[in-house]
Amino acid sequence: MTTASRFHRLRARTSRNLRMSLMCKSSLGNAVVDEFPILRQEVHDGKALLYLDSAATSQKPIAVTEAFRKAAQEVTSFPDDADIKEEIETARANVASLLNASPRDIVFTRGATEALNLVARGWGDANISEGDEIILTVMEHHSNLVPWQSLAERNRAVLKFVPLSKDQAFNMEAFKSLLNPGKTKIVAVNHVSNVLGCVNPVKEISELAHAAGALVSVDACQSVPHMPVDVKELGADFISASGHKMLGPTGIGFLWGRSELLNAMEPLNAGGAAMSRVSINPASTFHDAPAPWRFEAERLPYAEIMALSEACKYLQSRNMSQVHEYEMELGHYLWDSLSEIPGISLYGPSPSSSAGRDRGALVAFNCKGIHSNDLAFFLDQEGVAIRSGHHCTQPLHRALGVAGSARASLYLYNTREDIDKFCTILRKTLKMFSDMGFGVEETSPCPLVSTSDPTLRDPGIDRPCTDLWPKVDAEAEGVKENN
């Protein structure tokens, strides 16, 4: 081991120990874990479950599952019942309270994907014309990318993408250069990257976009569950989130939007409660209800809304500032612990950098010579649940020069001990691969990946997207394309 390697390991270990010494002995994770019975289950011949996949879907506390059960089993009246309507509006107020928003600005949706599509369709179709420009980033989840691609195709708009900075975070200088006053109509960006973990400067982005005459739509799926999100402070125009990532059930999410924008938007669906008045005599006419009800034409999923409401109350009871502080400590410890394992490349800004100091509690990584799916499979056999693949961010992984990555993600119910156990099992699994001739020997850790792999390329529509991009011979492929 070189002197530099010893220095970096010592610095990481010292930094980690200092942070951990500041944490209270009875951590938040230890305090709440018994409220999540699923985390106490055993899998694969008695192995304890170690759940490190909350960026995909969070677990639910007893209060949330009980609220869902009660709504599903004990409530027999239909949703036009006055009491049920009142409970739905109370739930809307609980969601709004979490965001410091007005309940009238909260629209219930089937999830964040529908919320983002509602913005692209309901606002975009009416306000984006041929030649107008839409700015996104290369780190967007497909749910905040494809709706805008579809809009650009329908209305012949221009898409522009903010590349990564050198430390794999939001590139502010590149963003400023892409803004085109009078032409840029909307900026769509995630608040926290589900792969890089970086917290994007939404407030500054919003100020710059508004100065250029553009709106801002934020995918907040990875921020609302983990940190204080104040819509007034962020300054964005639309914010979307999903229930199943914030201790709630699947099939429910929400869109927050400015009142004047929501009331000017066309709903995706017509009928039902979305109408304030309908007539056929003397002419067939209808009038949309005001926001948010104009967007909720179908019978709302009552049980899911009740569970989401309870999830919001639960998060507020735990103090989102404290949740964020606790998760930052865990996230930094996870990064430092993984960085000490030989052969591992980490993605996103380091916690020691300005772009990474408040990064989310997740780390995406790759182990040299081992596909992420293979690694995740064998970790699963040991009871460890992580995520592998492209995480619905294929363009980002192409920018990183890799086919996919493994990702460990944490939540308020995880602990430092979970991370220690994970790294122990990971080392054991990598040793198994090494014994079979895969992976790397015990050498110094791989550096942060910052260069793309030239053998990986966008396959185009003639070669469908898959999880593992085949490497091709560049010269042979070039000859084929030229012919």
Side-chain angles (χ1 to χ4, degrees):
M1 183 186 301
T2 65
T3 301
S5 297
R6 291 192 186 95
F7 170 75
H8 288 304
R9 288 194 180 191
L10 177 61
R11 183 175 65 176
R13 189 180 300 114
T14 302
S15 174
R16 182 178 70 243
N17 291 340
L18 177 61
R19 287 196 299 270
M20 289 303 110
S21 68
L22 298 176
M23 295 180 68
C24 57
K25 293 182 178 180
S26 179
S27 71
L28 177 59
N30 287 322
V32 305
V33 68
D34 287 337
E35 300 176 47
F36 298 82
I38 193 172
L39 300 177
R40 297 300 190 191
Q41 71 173 309
E42 294 182 343
V43 296
H44 299 314
D45 300 324
K47 295 183 176 68
L49 172 66
L50 178 54
Y51 192 76
L52 302 176
D53 195 21
S54 293
T57 295
S58 66
Q59 299 302 335
K60 287 74 177 159
I62 294 173
V64 170
T65 56
E66 177 59 19
F68 185 91
R69 184 206 63 77
K70 183 177 181 180
Q73 293 184 359
E74 299 181 11
V75 178
T76 57
S77 54
F78 291 106
D80 54 358
D81 181 276
D83 291 338
I84 291 180
K85 283 186 175 181
E86 183 177 350
E87 289 182 345
I88 289 175
E89 294 311 311
T90 297
R92 198 187 307 274
N94 288 335
V95 175
S97 178
L98 187 65
L99 305 178
N100 190 27
S102 166
R104 292 287 296 267
D105 299 336
I106 299 294
V107 179
F108 287 122
T109 63
R110 290 177 296 175
T113 299
E114 183 176 63
L116 292 163
N117 274 274
L118 177 56
V119 177
R121 283 279 187 180
W123 181 87
D125 278 351
N127 293 279
I128 300 293
S129 303
E130 182 173 355
D132 287 340
E133 297 174 0
I134 303 168
I135 297 180
L136 304 98
T137 78
V138 296
M139 66 177 81
E140 296 310 312
H141 189 283
H142 294 165
S143 292
N144 198 34
L145 170 59
V146 177
W148 303 108
Q149 289 178 315
S150 297
L151 172 62
E153 186 176 85
R154 290 193 304 274
N155 294 12
R156 297 184 178 181
V158 177
L159 293 177
K160 292 185 174 182
F161 293 87
V162 180
L164 299 180
S165 63
K166 290 183 178 179
D167 52 4
Q168 298 183 349
F170 186 85
N171 192 324
M172 182 57 73
E173 293 307 311
F175 171 64
K176 291 177 181 178
S177 70
L178 293 177
L179 281 171
N180 187 359
K183 297 298 288 183
T184 302
K185 298 300 181 180
I186 194 164
V187 177
V189 61
N190 59 56
H191 195 179
V192 177
S193 168
N194 71 321
V195 174
L196 304 174
C198 55
V199 180
N200 291 327
V202 171
K203 183 176 182 179
E204 185 176 356
I205 291 170
S206 298
E207 291 172 350
L208 291 168
H210 291 160
L215 300 186
V216 177
S217 176
V218 178
D219 171 2
C221 286
Q222 300 295 337
S223 61
V224 168
H226 304 283
M227 63 183 65
V229 173
D230 186 324
V231 298
K232 297 174 183 176
E233 182 179 342
L234 286 181
D237 302 286
F238 300 102
I239 291 179
S240 304
S242 55
H244 71 100
K245 296 182 189 294
M246 51 184 291
L247 307 182
T250 56
I252 189 68
F254 60 85
L255 167 69
W256 171 85
R258 297 191 184 281
S259 294
E260 65 274 18
L261 296 175
L262 291 177
N263 281 298
M265 285 168 52
E266 289 295 321
L268 293 181
N269 303 309
M275 302 291 105
S276 63
R277 182 165 59 87
V278 178
S279 65
I280 59 174
N281 188 22
S284 180
T285 62
F286 65 90
H287 297 274
D288 293 333
W293 305 283
R294 67 191 294 137
F295 302 107
E296 298 170 351
E298 66 284 333
R299 177 171 292 176
L300 290 173
Y302 174 65
E304 285 81 357
I305 290 175
M306 292 300 100
L308 175 63
S309 176
E310 197 63 38
C312 291
K313 289 164 60 179
Y314 183 94
L315 287 172
Q316 284 198 297
S317 73
R318 290 296 171 183
N319 189 321
M320 291 308 296
S321 293
Q322 292 181 10
V323 169
H324 182 42
E325 182 179 356
Y326 176 71
E327 289 190 19
M328 278 200 301
E329 295 287 355
L330 284 185
H332 290 188
Y333 183 59
L334 175 61
W335 176 283
D336 289 346
S337 299
L338 287 173
S339 68
E340 293 185 351
I341 300 178
I344 287 187
S345 298
L346 309 180
Y347 302 108
S350 165
S352 62
S353 69
S354 59
R357 61 174 176 264
D358 59 349
R359 57 173 291 129
L362 64 89
V363 178
F365 62 95
N366 269 313
C367 302
K368 187 175 181 180
I370 303 171
H371 193 274
S372 61
N373 287 350
D374 295 331
L375 180 63
F377 173 82
F378 283 101
L379 288 173
D380 175 78
Q381 301 307 299
E382 297 296 324
V384 179
I386 65 167
R387 183 69 38 169
S388 64
H390 52 65
H391 316 301
C392 291
T393 57
Q394 293 175 2
L396 172 59
H397 280 84
R398 292 192 198 105
L400 294 172
V402 293
S405 62
R407 183 187 67 195
S409 54
L410 310 167
Y411 208 177
L412 77 171
Y413 41 64
N414 288 118
T415 64
R416 179 186 179 185
E417 290 73 27
D418 289 342
I419 297 169
D420 290 339
K421 181 179 178 181
F422 167 56
C423 290
T424 297
I425 296 175
L426 177 58
R427 287 178 182 273
K428 174 185 173 183
T429 304
L430 294 179
K431 178 65 165 56
M432 178 202 71
F433 277 107
S434 179
D435 290 344
M436 294 189 299
F438 298 95
V440 297
E441 298 177 354
E442 290 288 319
T443 57
S444 58
C446 292
L448 179 74
V449 171
S450 59
T451 57
S452 61
D453 183 343
T455 63
L456 292 170
R457 64 179 180 86
D458 188 337
I461 59 173
D462 59 322
R463 292 172 62 183
C465 296
T466 59
D467 187 54
L468 177 59
W469 298 98
K471 292 189 176 183
V472 297
D473 183 276
E475 293 185 3
E477 196 70 7
V479 172
K480 179 181 177 181
E481 291 178 347
N482 289 334
N483 291 335

